[in-house]
Amino acid sequence: MFMFSLQTTGLVGLAVAENPHERLRILYTKILGVLQNIPKDAAYRKYTEQIVNERFDLVKKETDVQKLQDKLNSGQIEEVILQAENELSLARKMLQWKPWEPLVEEPPSNQWKWPI
Amino acid sequence: TVRPKNEVEHKQLCAFGEYVAEILPKYIQQVQVTCFNELELLIHPDGIIPVLTFLRDHTNAQFKSLADLTAVDVPSRQYRFEIVYNLLSLRFNSRIRVKTYTDELTPVDSAVPVHKAANWYEREVWDMFGVFFANHPDLRRILTDYGFEGHPFRKDFPLSGYVEV
């Protein structure tokens, strides 16, 4: 019970995550699974796979939580987990919206002209 | 004195703008970086919720904070109102501006599902300009008097109003 040595994240409303490596592994595999359904040439798929694979490799190699936080350089490990959850929900929504298609409608020619 | 030009930041913002434009070509019509290093994305109105959710949730663009939501009235255009969203990323300490357009009668998707802060800002835009937000939880007047008619911030609304006070 005292394995996680009574630490806090220091952030309000964000509980300490026990076994963060496992959670991140599950989340990243789910994200990669969702990304497989996007067409291969979409920029979103390319860049997100790059980011997720980088972070996944770091998580697989580094077992110490503190060093992992420093290597990822993206705040606390709980914030990284939260970010991965957000990325997963975003990937699912991208499947519906399909933003890689060409422009939906051109604006009228004077719309973005400034000064008028 | 003139503010010194920060070329590095300018280049970074240009690169990020191209990155976002590459990922979301369906909605982004134009990307520009002002000389004061402010990145602006010009969007088609159908793409408000996708673009705002992308900017909030994506790892490279965690713009979690909606700083401002306003509208600009340019009566000579076909779509006279320009809705402006200002977002702030706390993780990367950078700001971005997202602009859409609409006219008096076309409703615009509400940003409240994405950013809870948009609630009162959209009420203000509705009250002052008359831009209707679809799927807003509670769209009613917020600054004008209870029986007030008209939308004060429009350019054709006179400075001292229609009613004598």
Side-chain angles (χ1 to χ4, degrees):
Chain A
M1 195 177 63
F2 290 102
M3 277 189 311
F4 54 94
S5 65
L6 289 169
Q7 9 155 342
T8 78
T9 52
L11 303 162
V12 176
L14 204 50
V16 179
E18 65 273 351
N19 209 350
H21 293 83
E22 184 63 33
R23 183 100 182 96
L24 279 173
R25 203 175 50 79
I26 299 174
L27 281 168
Y28 287 144
T29 14
K30 275 191 189 172
I31 296 178
L32 289 170
V34 172
L35 287 177
Q36 297 302 324
N37 294 331
I38 300 183
K40 200 129 198 353
D41 58 347
Y44 177 68
R45 173 172 176 170
K46 218 172 36 175
Y47 291 121
T48 319
E49 277 186 340
Q50 196 186 351
I51 301 172
V52 168
N53 283 328
E54 271 177 37
R55 293 197 166 192
F56 205 176
D57 291 332
L58 280 173
V59 166
K60 275 190 275 206
K61 265 193 301 197
E62 189 65 60
T63 40
D64 179 35
V65 172
Q66 195 55 44
K67 287 216 197 84
L68 181 57
Q69 268 173 211
D70 294 330
K71 274 198 183 164
L72 283 173
N73 194 17
S74 177
Q76 301 259 10
I77 201 82
E78 286 79 18
E79 290 178 329
V80 175
I81 294 176
L82 196 56
Q83 183 54 43
E85 285 167 4
N86 284 344
E87 190 73 58
L88 180 60
S89 93
L90 178 67
R92 289 185 177 138
K93 289 178 193 170
M94 287 299 207
L95 271 181
Q96 289 175 339
W97 291 325
K98 301 197 206 338
W100 47 86
E101 287 160 8
L103 192 57
V104 96
E105 196 188 332
E106 285 286 338
S109 52
N110 65 339
Q111 181 63 42
W112 297 125
K113 188 157 159 286
W114 190 261
I116 319 175
Chain B
T1 50
V2 181
R3 179 198 289 197
K5 276 187 168 298
N6 191 344
E7 278 301 332
V8 175
E9 195 182 350
H10 196 91
K11 279 206 183 55
Q12 282 172 340
L13 286 174
C14 286
F16 182 68
E18 284 164 10
Y19 173 74
V20 182
E22 202 186 332
I23 294 191
L24 299 165
K26 188 172 178 185
Y27 303 113
I28 298 186
Q29 288 159 351
Q30 225 177 299
V31 177
Q32 52 201 37
V33 182
T34 53
C35 60
F36 314 107
N37 296 341
E38 294 168 356
L39 178 56
E40 303 186 351
L41 297 177
L42 310 180
I43 308 280
H44 184 273
D46 286 344
I48 294 180
I49 298 194
V51 170
L52 288 180
T53 340
F54 171 80
L55 290 173
R56 186 189 60 161
D57 286 340
H58 190 66
T59 328
N60 272 355
Q62 298 169 28
F63 289 96
K64 302 260 184 237
S65 172
L66 178 74
D68 198 12
L69 206 181
T70 24
V72 183
D73 181 19
V74 188
S76 57
R77 292 180 185 163
Q78 181 196 351
Y79 294 101
R80 69 189 282 197
F81 299 117
E82 209 180 87
I83 319 281
V84 180
Y85 301 80
N86 284 312
L87 300 162
L88 165 67
S89 166
L90 301 154
R91 170 73 54 209
F92 300 114
N93 189 17
S94 82
R95 296 179 181 264
I96 197 172
R97 197 175 297 140
V98 176
K99 290 200 192 184
T100 339
Y101 52 80
T102 182
D103 55 14
E104 289 122 324
L105 300 171
T106 323
V108 153
D109 276 324
S110 171
V112 173
V114 181
H115 287 105
K116 288 276 177 294
N119 200 326
W120 276 20
Y121 285 128
E122 289 182 348
R123 274 177 67 184
E124 185 197 351
V125 168
W126 158 248
D127 195 13
M128 295 289 122
F129 290 93
V131 177
F132 187 77
F133 289 92
N135 306 323
H136 185 102
D138 187 20
L139 195 64
R140 52 194 160 99
R141 62 173 76 252
I142 192 170
L143 292 171
T144 50
D145 195 10
Y146 290 106
F148 193 88
E149 280 156 15
H151 296 284
F153 282 2
R154 290 191 179 180
K155 291 285 196 276
D156 45 0
F157 191 90
L159 184 58
S160 37
Y162 293 118
V163 179
E164 191 188 311
V165 144

